[in-house]
């Protein structure tokens, strides 16, 4: 006689996984990339003395 117990551990989702659609993982990546873009625009403006659009010749 065996006393085997089937224990199902909860599945933990990887919060850094690359997932498509409106998922928490996609929104986390969206926020990270938005922060990088905002920092890049701020640094361009700081070091060039021009706005982002003027720097690229759009305005």
């Amino acid at each position: 006689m065996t006393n085997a117990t089937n224990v199902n551990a909860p599945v933990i989702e990887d919060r850094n996984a690359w997932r498509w659609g409106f998922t928490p993982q996609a929104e986390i990546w969206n926020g990270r990339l938005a922060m990088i873009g905002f920092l890049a625009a701020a640094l361009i403006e700081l070091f060039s003395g021009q706005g982002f659009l003027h720097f690229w010749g759009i305005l």
Side-chain angles (χ1 to χ4, degrees):
M1 179 169 133
T2 60
N3 223 357
T5 318
N6 187 4
V7 178
N8 292 330
V11 176
I12 300 173
E13 291 188 38
D14 184 13
R15 295 192 68 165
N16 289 319
W18 188 269
R19 312 241 348 234
W20 295 100
F22 293 106
T23 63
Q25 292 86 358
E27 295 303 317
I28 288 171
W29 276 102
N30 183 28
R32 289 174 179 167
L33 295 174
M35 287 186 276
I36 291 171
F38 181 78
L39 180 63
L43 289 175
I44 286 173
E45 187 168 341
L46 180 68
F47 288 117
S48 72
Q50 302 175 6
F52 180 75
L53 297 176
H54 284 100
F55 178 77
W56 289 104
I58 296 173
L59 285 178

